Structures are given as C-alpha cells and as structure tokens.
Amino acid sequence: MGRGSLRIYLGAAPGVGKTYAMLAEAGRRRERGTDVVVGFVETHGRERTARLLDGLETVPRRELAYRDASFTELDVDAVIRRGPAVALIDELAHTNVPGSRNAKRWQDIEEILDAGIDVISTVNVQHLDSVNDVVERITGVPQRETVPDEVVRRADQIELIDMTPQALRRRMAHGNVYGPDKVDAALGNYFRVGNLTALRELALLWLADKVDDQLDRYRADHDIRGTWEARERVVVALTGGPEGDTLIRRAARIADRTKGTDLLAVHVTRADGLTGAGPAHLTRQRALVESLGGSYHQVVGTNVPEALLDFARGVNATQLVLGASRRGRIAQLFSRGVGVTATAQSGSIDVHLVTHEETSQGRRWKALRTAWGVPAKRRNAGFAAAAAGLPLLTFFLDHTRDQLSLTSEILLFQAAVIGVAMIGGLFPAIFAAIAGSLLLNYYFTPPLYTFTINQPEAFLQLMVYVVVGMTVSTIVDVTARKSREAARAQTESQILSILAGDILRGDAPAGGRRDSTALAGILERLRETYGLASVTLLERDPDEPATPDTLRDPDAWIVVATVGGEPCTSPDAGETDILVDDDALALVLRGRTLPAADRRVLEAFAAQAAVALRHRRLAEAAEQVRPLAAADRMRTALLNAVSHDLRTPLASAKAAVDSLRSPDVDWSAEDQDELVATAAESLERLDRLVANLLDMSRLQAGSLGVTRRPLAAEDIVPRAAGDATGVRIRVPDGLPELLADPALLERVLANLIGNAVRYSPPGEPVLVTASAHAGRLELRVIDRGPGIPPADRDRVFEPFQRLGDRDNHTGVGLGLALSRGLTEAMDGTIDIEETPGGGLTMVVTLPAAEPGGDLAAGVPGGREGDEES
C-alpha cells in the first residue's frame, strides 16, 4: 500500500474549534461511506464536541503506568491492525508518556501514514518550532510541546481554523472552552485580546508562506514559467551606479499604487567576480529600499538579462523596473543592452524602462583608460623593451640569415611581440607588432632592404604575423588585466566581509575599546586594514556652502568621530578623503596615500559610517522627543483644566452664595440649607479638581513623591473598595506581592471602582480580580455596563472626557487621566479591554516584587504565569 495522506487543522489559539472541525469532517466522510475511526480525540469536557463522537468507532487507547499513575495514549498497533481508511488523531504536538514507543505523537502518526492509512490531526500555531520563542515573548508562557515545522509543511492539506479574539473570548465567557472556575484566570492571562491577535497573525502569516510554497511547487512540477499574478511584486534592477536611487523611488511609487504589493531590489553580480558596481552606491541603495518597505537581493549570473528575468520569474514578479542604457548611441548599435534584451524576453512581466541623469552618457574617458589596464610604468617598460629588443633580434637574425627560413624569423618576431605584451600590455605590443612587420619586410622579405614585397606568399605571412601578433597581444593583455582585477576583487570582498561581520556583531576590532560604538568600530577597522595613523569622520557645517574653498577651511567642518592619532580638522588635512551624503560628510585618512584602485572599498567604509551615524542620531532624537511630547500633552491638559472645568464648580458655588446674600428674596430655612449644600458640594468638587491638577503638575515636573514598596493584593484591594456597594473581590491565594505606592494605588483603584459602580446596571456587581503574569501583577476591575467603543478607548484617558455620560456633572473627566499618570509613575500601565458578554474591564498592571530582592531600591521582579490550555 502507498503512504497515507495527512490533513491538519491548524488553530490560531486553543478553543477556536479544531477538534470540532475534525469531527465534523469525519461525520461527513462517514455519511459518504468512508471507513473512519477515532484513534485519539480529546474533547476537554466540551459537550458540543463530545456529541460529534456519537456514531464514530473508537479504537481503544493504550494504558501506561508512570510514577504510580495510569495514563492513556494512542495505540499505534491497534490502529494499524484495524486498518481503516481514515484515522482521527488529535493533538499532533503531544508528548507521549515515558515508556511509549515514540517520544512524540507526530512520530506515531508517521508510522500510521506509512501503513497506508489517511490521518486527520490538529495542532495550534504556538506549538510550531519556528514560532515557539515568539509566542513565549508575546504571551509570557513557554510552550513545552512542539512539533517541527517540516512535519506540518509535509501535510497534504492544511486548513486554518480561525476566530476573532472577541468571538473566542465570548465563547470562553459562555463556558464553551473552560469550566467557570478557569474562565477569569484564562481571560486575564493567556487569552487577552493582544495575545490572541498576535497568535492569529502568526497563523495567517505561517499559512501564507505554506500556500506560497505550494504554489511554487505546483508551478515547478507543471513547468509553468509564466507569471501568475496572485500578488503584485515589483522587482527593480540595480547596477550599482548612481541612478539606482531614482529607480528605487520610481519602483516604490509603482508598488504603492496597489495595496499589499511587494518591492524587491536585485543586483546581478558577474560570475567571474568582476564588477563595476560601487559598494557605496549599493550600500546606500540597500538602506533606501529597506526604508521603503522593500527587500534587497543579490544574485550571480554571466548573462545579466537572463539572470534578472530568472530572478523575477522565481519570485513570481509582475513588474520589472530597469534603468535606460548608460551607453552611448554608437555602442548601442553593436549591442541591444540589458533593457532592450530583457524587454524582448520578459513575456508576461511588465517592464518599465526609466530614464535618469546617466542615460546615454557613454563611457567616461577615465573609465576607458582604466579598462586599458596596466600602469604607466609597465607601459613605458613595454615600449622600451620593444624599442631595444626588436633591433637586437633583427641584428641576430641578420647574422644567421642562411640558417633560418622566413617562417622561423616571423615566429621569433611573434614571440618577441608576446613578450612585450606580457611586460607592457596591449599598446606596446601593438607597437612591437607593427615595428616588427616593418623590420621583417625591410630586412628579411625579398627584395631585401626595401619595403616592397614581390612574393604573395611572403605578403600573406607578414599579414598573418601582424594579425596574430595583435590578437595574441590583446588576449594576453585582457587575461592579465582580468587576473589583476580578480585578485583585487577577492581582496575587496574579504575586507567588506570582515566589515559586514563587525557591523552585525557590533564588535570593535583588535585595538578598539570594548565600549566602542558601531561608528567607532567601522573607523577602527578601516585604520587597521590599511595601516593608517588616524581616520576621522567630519561633518560640514550646514551654514557653510559646499565649495572648493570649504575643503580647506577647518572652521567649516565639525569632527564627528575619530580613531588613532590627532584628528583631521578638514578634508585637505589628510592624504585621502572620501565625500558622502552629498558632500555633507567627509571621511579623512592620514598616514599614507592610498592608490585610486582602493577608492571603491573606501567608499563602502564611508557609506557604512554615514549609516551608523544616521542610526545613532535617530536613536538620540527619539530619546529627546519622548519626554518633550509627554510634557506637551500634560501642559495642554492643565491649560484645558484651568480654562474649562475650574469655572463650573466655581460658578455653582458663587451662584448659591449670591442667592443667599440677595436681599430681594426671603429664603426659607429649607431653601437656605439646599443652597448651602450646593455651595459646599461645588467647593468640594473644586477642591478635588485643584488637588488633581496639582498632582498632575507634580507628575509633569517629576516631583510627585512615589515610594514603592511590596504590597499584598488581598490587602490593598479591599481598602480601595471601601464601603462601595455591589463590589465582589476575588483575589486568589499565593499571588506574589506587587511594588507600588500604597496611597497612590489605593487612589487609582478607588477611582476605577467608583467609575465601574456608576456605570454598572442594577443587579450586576462589579468584580475585582488579581492575577500574576510574566513577572507582573494585574488588577482587573470588571463591570457589565455599556462599555466604550474601541475607537474612543484612548480618548477616555485624555483630560475632561466623559464619553457616553453627557448628563453626568458630578465629575470633571480628569480622574482617568490622573489614574494613568499615577500608575505610570509607579512603573505600571492601565489598559482597557472588552468584558466578554458586554461591559468594560480596566486592567492595572504593576511589577511584582522580587522575592529577596532589593526592596529599598524598588527593583521589580516576579515569576512567569502558568499556561492556560
């Protein structure tokens, strides 16, 4: 029998209905006549799930004894002996009891599949190996039972069982997942809205990757090379030239036209390792494309158009962005170029040819001169060798004329030309070939001592000599130049690889300080690599224009970082300088003059230094802006309080006092008491408001006295509830103590409980619970009131907000703002959650006290919560 097929129901979280969906599918198959048995199904006491087992044959489980207890596990042999068409086996990631044949249940399932039996199983996303650590960071709960991703990916079918966090929490509140005694703890720990939302996204993303793999495999199996536009993907080709910035921005605008479009940048490196790409340009362009939400890729290929199209088809791209050719018009007559060739071969991929400043500029003379190869000294030596060697060879052959034929003489001259090519390169060799042909013609070709040739065969020999000499010289020159370029490219790649490793690890090279920043590490690596005395990064004063005089003016530059000896104060102060970021930064090297051939690597170092400086300044700016933004929000709140809410109680008290003082009205004793009570109530409200404003101003100034010490939740919660009616307190035993200021925490909880009582309907008590989670303690105030729309939940913490309570004038809307400020002053948070079944839950989170910790210093600590599953 062949191997059975595996179908997996993947759950975003426990309780979404994986087992229910599996049993429902089994019922449908049984009705169609399929032989289905239950190998192992766990209903967790859920009645609706258990009812689906009716009518399904169940294979008895295997009983195992472990540590004086009895356990039941899947009986693999019994399922194989029964030999059904389909076996239902729940909990793919389950760990078997010690003593079982296999350690994990997925290994049991592999045996059953090998026996030719189809299996339907279930697993939650948090049990996948690849996301296990992510789930622990999100939920604070370690997952001890895991399954390798590859096991799940090999499944023939995977179906996602999904549910919104709100719907799952309602299901739990209704008792459809856990028993009533576990619901509150589960909702307050593992099954929070944020946790469930993150788990849901992980499941969707993991399954999307699986679907992409299936699509790629299907296309490969059916040899489908065309593009399937299941998702828009824009690929931009980078040459490593300055025009790449323009192409990336144009590609990003194309991608932005359709939501969800992927942006990919690709650079094709030649297979021989020789490239004209600028590392500085590629480094900057990689940072640019990543800042725009794209990804950077590098591939190797001998044919650039084919490599680009292979990459584009491999990622199922729909559009390809290329730059217009930089070659001149004459060069384009001999070769169509990358853009035209790729367009002709692109098929269903749309190709955008984008013009830029480098279009049709042709090759620069400097670049052409560089392509010619050898240094001037070697060229001069080649010319000297030709000028001296050819006459000597002619003198020698003239004295051995009777011993050698014309063919031998031509071959000796050919050898001399090759020798000159090895010494001086192409142009001395061409000179030697032409000069040699003239000497052969004059001294050795009849008639002698004239430039006349009377024999056609001699003329042919001489022409072949010239052509072969020039061809061989060209080949020798190109080979030598490529060898030198390959050696230099290998050296450059090793240097850049070391630089990349330093940046990734954040290490300082040998000789650098341990506390070196990334920027200092880059400069130190450059100084060490080239044996320099000092390396300095300068920044031009923004007020100084970028002129040639600026390069010599020390007052126009600011030293950002330096390593080695005395820093250079201007670009002209060193032997070598590299300008980056539109001449706003300069990397200045002192110690020795570096050859121009090293400039590409130096530009890469300069680009990385600029990126490191930019990251450092962004981090510094973020740190500076954070307190300023908080102070501005607090200042605005205080101004609003003075201009708005101080007037209301003050006006009521003034009106009551003015009425009592009025001689025109004879107030009765009852009326007088009512007016005095009104004035007293208004003044009391005014006193509370002033006290709140003073506390908020102290928070803003950082002068609010906060003394945190360990507190027991079972002590502080009843004190905060006071004599409030309709409040139930449920604080479990064994909770760790929390770190907080007793007076401030009591004030915060009293405010939250008072609000909850005010909004709760009659007969619905307010519930106050406590739980521990990942080293922090949570106090939850739960009501069954009207709740707050999600869009308005952030607004309730702004001063003077009374959302949904416009007729209530007993408060000024400052309480929740102050409560959040006081909680944050104690290193805590206040969050709003929806109460399953309707209502609002206010969650106060504070650090747990570390047992045996430094209590005087207020060091938070705690323990991890237990998993709810």
Side-chain angles (χ1 to χ4, degrees):
M1 296 180 63
R3 179 179 169 87
S5 64
L6 176 61
R7 176 170 183 162
I8 294 177
Y9 287 97
L10 175 67
V16 294
K18 304 178 304 300
T19 305
Y20 189 94
M22 177 179 70
L23 292 174
E25 172 67 17
R28 288 190 292 270
R29 294 195 183 196
R30 184 174 61 86
E31 291 175 356
R32 295 195 297 266
T34 305
D35 184 14
V36 181
V37 301
V38 176
F40 190 101
V41 168
E42 183 59 66
T43 65
H44 298 287
R46 298 162 190 167
E47 296 181 3
R48 295 181 60 191
T49 304
R51 285 200 295 267
L52 293 179
L53 285 170
D54 295 341
L56 292 175
E57 178 186 347
T58 300
V59 176
R61 301 181 183 183
R62 182 185 179 191
E63 292 190 5
L64 294 171
Y66 179 69
R67 291 184 178 178
D68 300 327
S70 179
F71 299 89
T72 61
E73 294 287 2
L74 170 68
D75 193 333
V76 178
D77 294 329
V79 173
I80 294 176
R81 284 195 302 270
R82 170 63 177 77
V86 179
L88 309 181
I89 303 175
D90 210 358
E91 299 179 354
L92 180 69
H94 173 75
T95 301
N96 292 331
V97 174
S100 302
R101 181 162 60 194
N102 297 310
K104 304 289 288 188
R105 182 163 293 165
W106 65 264
Q107 296 170 322
D108 295 339
I109 292 176
E110 288 292 320
E111 291 191 25
I112 295 173
L113 291 171
D114 290 338
I117 300 172
D118 295 344
V119 174
I120 303 178
S121 188
T122 64
V123 70
N124 284 327
V125 69
Q126 70 262 28
H127 296 297
L128 298 174
D129 267 340
S130 64
V131 299
N132 182 258
D133 56 336
V134 179
V135 172
E136 182 176 354
R137 286 197 298 270
I138 292 171
T139 64
V141 178
Q143 301 291 332
R144 296 177 178 83
E145 293 190 329
T146 60
V147 59
D149 287 49
E150 185 57 31
V151 173
V152 183
R153 289 187 182 276
R154 285 201 305 264
D156 300 275
Q157 298 179 60
I158 300 178
E159 183 174 338
L160 178 65
I161 306 300
D162 189 20
M163 181 177 290
T164 65
Q166 293 78 9
L168 179 55
R169 287 169 62 85
R170 282 195 298 270
R171 174 182 285 186
M172 295 190 66
H174 295 156
N176 295 333
V177 179
Y178 294 145
D181 57 327
K182 294 183 179 181
V183 170
D184 288 335
L187 291 175
N189 289 282
Y190 195 83
F191 291 87
R192 309 185 217 190
V193 173
N195 290 357
L196 297 176
T197 303
L199 292 173
R200 188 185 189 198
E201 183 174 11
L202 283 175
L204 291 170
L205 292 175
W206 192 92
L207 190 60
D209 289 340
K210 164 70 176 177
V211 173
D212 271 347
D213 293 342
Q214 288 178 329
L215 181 60
D216 292 341
R217 187 161 55 248
Y218 179 86
R219 285 162 50 84
D221 292 343
H222 293 77
D223 196 24
I224 299 174
R225 299 184 179 274
T227 300
W228 283 11
E229 299 179 3
R231 180 192 298 181
E232 285 285 338
R233 287 187 174 92
V234 179
V235 173
V236 53
L238 303 178
T239 64
E243 76 282 355
D245 297 37
T246 302
L247 301 183
I248 291 172
R249 291 189 174 93
R250 180 59 184 274
R253 290 196 295 272
I254 294 173
D256 287 341
R257 295 172 185 170
T258 304
K259 187 176 181 180
T261 300
D262 294 335
L263 174 63
L264 302 91
V266 59
H267 170 68
V268 178
T269 301
R270 290 174 50 179
D272 56 12
L274 306 179
T275 176
H281 292 308
L282 286 176
T283 300
R284 186 182 66 253
Q285 289 159 13
R286 177 171 188 167
L288 176 60
V289 73
E290 290 175 350
S291 70
L292 295 173
S295 58
Y296 176 85
H297 306 267
Q298 193 157 332
V299 297
V300 178
T302 54
N303 187 299
V304 175
E306 289 183 1
L308 284 176
L309 292 174
D310 287 344
F311 175 82
R313 294 188 182 105
V315 299
N316 203 20
T318 55
Q319 303 185 64
L320 177 62
V321 178
L322 300 170
S325 177
R326 289 185 294 174
R327 299 177 307 145
R329 295 181 180 178
I330 296 177
Q332 294 182 33
L333 294 176
F334 296 95
S335 175
R336 296 193 301 173
V338 174
V340 177
T341 304
T343 303
Q345 301 175 2
S346 62
S348 59
I349 302 176
D350 296 336
V351 179
H352 303 264
L353 283 177
V354 180
T355 57
H356 48 82
E357 294 180 354
E358 303 292 324
T359 301
S360 300
Q361 292 297 312
R363 293 186 179 272
R364 302 293 191 271
W365 170 255
K366 181 179 179 181
L368 184 60
R369 187 177 60 188
T370 301
W372 286 348
V374 298
K377 288 184 178 180
R378 286 190 54 189
R379 273 202 312 272
N380 295 336
F383 281 116
L390 292 179
L392 289 175
L393 179 60
T394 302
F395 178 80
F396 171 76
L397 293 178
D398 186 50
H399 286 75
T400 58
R401 184 186 303 274
D402 297 334
Q403 302 175 17
L404 298 174
S405 64
L406 178 61
T407 302
S408 299
E409 293 166 343
I410 291 176
L411 289 176
L412 289 174
F413 269 90
Q414 191 79 70
V417 171
I418 295 174
V420 171
M422 296 292 294
I423 296 172
L426 178 61
F427 292 102
I430 292 176
F431 167 77
I434 295 174
S437 67
L438 295 176
L439 291 173
L440 282 169
N441 185 4
Y442 188 81
Y443 285 100
F444 304 105
T445 304
L448 302 178
Y449 311 117
T450 68
F451 290 104
T452 304
I453 301 176
N454 7 358
Q455 295 182 4
E457 184 179 357
F459 177 79
L460 177 62
Q461 290 175 340
L462 200 57
M463 291 300 100
V464 169
Y465 156 75
V466 173
V467 172
V468 170
M470 296 181 67
T471 302
V472 171
S473 300
T474 302
I475 294 173
V476 171
D477 178 76
V478 170
T479 303
R481 178 161 50 86
K482 293 293 185 182
S483 299
R484 290 191 298 272
E485 291 178 358
R488 176 165 293 279
Q490 183 178 8
T491 303
E492 291 178 356
S493 65
Q494 291 175 349
I495 295 173
L496 295 176
S497 175
I498 295 173
L499 172 63
D502 289 343
I503 294 172
L504 288 174
R505 294 189 302 270
D507 293 344
R513 297 176 314 189
R514 238 179 233 182
D515 61 347
S516 295
T517 63
L519 176 58
I522 293 171
L523 300 186
E524 178 62 29
R525 174 63 68 188
L526 175 58
R527 189 193 67 80
E528 180 187 81
T529 301
Y530 289 99
L532 302 170
S534 69
V535 178
T536 305
L537 181 64
L538 299 176
E539 183 176 27
R540 180 167 51 82
D541 191 331
D543 297 331
E544 295 287 343
T547 63
D549 293 336
T550 305
L551 299 178
R552 297 186 293 271
D553 184 8
D555 295 334
W557 296 89
I558 302 170
V559 176
V560 176
T562 185
V563 296
E566 189 71 21
C568 300
T569 56
S570 69
D572 272 4
E575 282 78 13
T576 306
D577 64 273
I578 306 293
L579 299 178
V580 290
D581 273 5
D582 297 328
D583 297 346
L585 295 174
L587 190 65
V588 188
L589 316 179
R590 175 185 285 171
R592 66 187 182 92
T593 302
L594 297 179
D598 291 330
R599 195 168 186 86
R600 289 197 319 129
V601 177
L602 297 179
E603 288 177 349
F605 273 95
Q608 292 295 342
V611 171
L613 176 62
R614 193 176 303 117
H615 287 176
R616 188 180 75 181
R617 288 185 171 170
L618 286 174
E620 293 172 353
E623 289 299 322
Q624 293 174 357
V625 168
R626 188 176 294 110
L628 293 176
D632 184 66
R633 289 194 300 269
M634 187 69 71
R635 188 180 300 109
T636 302
L638 293 175
L639 291 174
N640 289 338
V642 173
S643 63
H644 178 270
D645 284 284
L646 282 175
R647 295 179 180 178
T648 302
L650 187 60
S652 299
K654 185 176 183 299
V657 173
D658 287 344
S659 298
L660 289 172
R661 294 182 59 195
S662 175
D664 300 331
V665 181
D666 186 13
W667 300 102
S668 64
E670 183 179 349
D671 293 334
Q672 289 179 3
D673 290 342
E674 184 177 351
L675 289 172
V676 170
T678 299
E681 181 182 354
S682 298
L683 292 174
E684 184 180 351
R685 288 173 54 201
L686 183 61
D687 180 67
R688 288 198 303 269
L689 174 59
V690 171
N692 287 341
L693 288 173
L694 289 175
D695 285 342
M696 291 193 72
S697 66
R698 293 190 187 100
L699 285 171
Q700 179 189 15
S703 60
L704 180 68
V706 179
T707 305
R708 296 194 302 165
R709 64 182 181 82
L711 301 173
E714 56 266 27
D715 295 335
I716 194 69
V717 173
R719 290 207 308 267
D723 298 330
T725 58
V727 178
R728 290 171 51 200
I729 299 174
R730 183 184 299 165
V731 178
D733 297 331
L735 289 178
E737 293 182 318
L738 55 87
L739 278 176
D741 185 298
L744 297 184
L745 179 57
E746 185 175 339
R747 187 172 175 185
V748 170
L749 292 176
N751 184 29
L752 299 181
I753 293 172
N755 284 343
V757 171
R758 184 185 309 143
Y759 293 114
S760 292
E764 291 287 351
V766 172
L767 177 62
V768 183
T769 66
S771 61
H773 176 75
R776 297 179 79 81
L777 223 70
E778 290 186 349
L779 304 174
R780 311 174 76 85
V781 181
I782 306 168
D783 67 56
R784 295 289 179 178
I788 298 175
D792 293 334
R793 289 179 183 172
D794 287 335
R795 292 177 55 200
V796 300
F797 291 108
E798 298 175 6
F800 322 114
Q801 299 293 328
R802 292 191 296 268
L803 302 179
D805 189 29
R806 305 185 191 280
D807 298 329
N808 178 18
H809 301 287
T810 60
V812 294
L814 197 60
L816 286 179
L818 180 60
S819 296
R820 169 172 276 188
L822 295 177
T823 304
E824 291 176 350
M826 295 183 289
D827 194 24
T829 60
I830 293 183
D831 298 299
I832 296 179
E833 295 180 0
E834 180 183 355
T835 302
L840 200 68
T841 299
M842 305 295 292
V843 184
V844 179
T845 305
L846 291 163
E850 184 176 9
D854 186 1
L855 301 182
V859 179
R863 65 184 185 191
E864 306 222 80
D866 298 325
E867 177 184 359
E868 291 289 342
S869 62

